[in-house]
Amino acid sequence: FLMIRRPPRSTLFPYTTLSDLLSLVSSTFAFQVDSVKYVKKLDASFNLTNTSISDNWYKGGNSSLNWQFDIVYNFVRDAKSSNFTHTGKFSFGKSELDGIINPSRITANEFKHESIYTHKVGLAVEPFVSASIQTQVARGFNYESTPKTALSDIFDPAYFTQALGLGYTSKDLAFNARAGFALKETVSSGDTLAIALTDDPEIGRAHV
């Protein structure tokens, strides 16, 4: 959709906001092979927002240009005795701000993926195992310093989680819950976060 808001040029509302959300891909593909059902979903979108503030805005403010690109995916293999589901999200965005130090700033920076295997035993609750990863897709910075300093990067850190337990899903698929045990590992390969995660400043690689 495209939304344009143009308030009156006055001392109360001297700004213009332009917002544009473009859906690049939105598809669902489902098919069945013998007794196995497959569902594939992919959604990709691009959002652009531009805010322009005139000089007579008495409360002050900064004009900005913001954009964000998102991908959300889901893949399901559903058989009589098992269900294998993969879900994930990729998100990256930046802002360009006028009148500040380090005007170009990353505002969205994330990648996460989870895979869940459920064994169907015909009970209200069924056993599952899962694994997930979460990290970022670009280097992160501290924008308050001059010049900006790097704080994180791809797989710096990365979070890995493995879980084992029991899950419940309602027949209409509107509600699901899981309970069990989980292990989580945090991995950092850079000096900045390695020092932050350990007591020894000489350690250049941290695995917690």
Side-chain angles (χ1 to χ4, degrees):
F1 64 91
L2 177 64
M3 179 185 71
I4 301 177
R5 182 175 58 182
R6 297 186 183 279
R9 286 291 181 176
S10 68
T11 57
L12 293 179
F13 302 103
Y15 61 88
T16 300
T17 299
L18 172 64
S19 181
D20 188 9
L21 176 61
L22 176 63
S23 179
L24 302 177
V25 177
S26 182
S27 65
T28 300
F29 182 55
F31 61 96
Q32 184 169 334
V33 179
D34 295 329
S35 60
V36 181
K37 298 178 181 179
Y38 297 87
V39 179
K40 299 179 180 180
K41 296 182 180 180
L42 176 65
D43 292 294
S45 62
F46 180 79
N47 184 59
L48 178 67
T49 302
N50 182 28
T51 301
S52 179
I53 301 177
S54 63
D55 295 335
N56 62 341
W57 177 233
Y58 75 97
K59 287 188 177 181
N62 301 101
S63 298
S64 64
L65 176 65
N66 311 289
W67 64 268
Q68 184 169 322
F69 177 66
D70 296 293
I71 296 177
V72 179
Y73 61 87
N74 179 269
F75 173 72
V76 179
R77 180 188 184 277
D78 189 56
K80 183 177 181 179
S81 61
S82 64
N83 179 282
F84 205 9
T85 300
H86 307 272
T87 58
K89 179 181 180 181
F90 170 96
S91 183
F92 184 76
K94 295 187 73 174
S95 290
E96 302 290 337
L97 304 172
D98 290 341
I100 64 170
I101 300 174
N102 300 318
S104 179
R105 303 188 175 198
I106 295 175
T107 54
N109 188 10
E110 179 185 35
F111 170 75
K112 57 184 178 182
H113 174 90
E114 182 179 45
S115 296
I116 305 172
Y117 176 82
T118 301
H119 184 65
K120 298 180 180 180
V121 295
L123 301 176
V125 292
E126 296 172 322
F128 77 90
V129 293
S130 68
S132 66
I133 178 176
Q134 182 175 359
T135 186
Q136 55 194 69
V137 297
R139 179 169 293 183
F141 296 91
N142 174 14
Y143 295 106
E144 301 305 318
S145 63
T146 305
K148 62 184 180 181
T149 55
L151 291 179
S152 55
D153 209 335
I154 302 175
F155 286 95
D156 188 14
Y159 305 97
F160 299 89
T161 304
Q162 306 84 41
L164 172 67
L166 297 174
Y168 169 79
T169 302
S170 61
K171 292 183 179 180
D172 59 0
L173 304 180
F175 175 78
N176 64 80
R178 287 181 285 166
F181 300 93
L183 295 174
K184 182 177 182 180
E185 301 86 42
T186 301
V187 178
S188 173
S189 59
D191 295 340
T192 303
L193 280 175
I195 294 174
L197 292 172
T198 62
D199 295 327
D200 187 353
E202 299 300 323
I203 295 179
R205 178 178 177 85
H207 185 185
V208 180

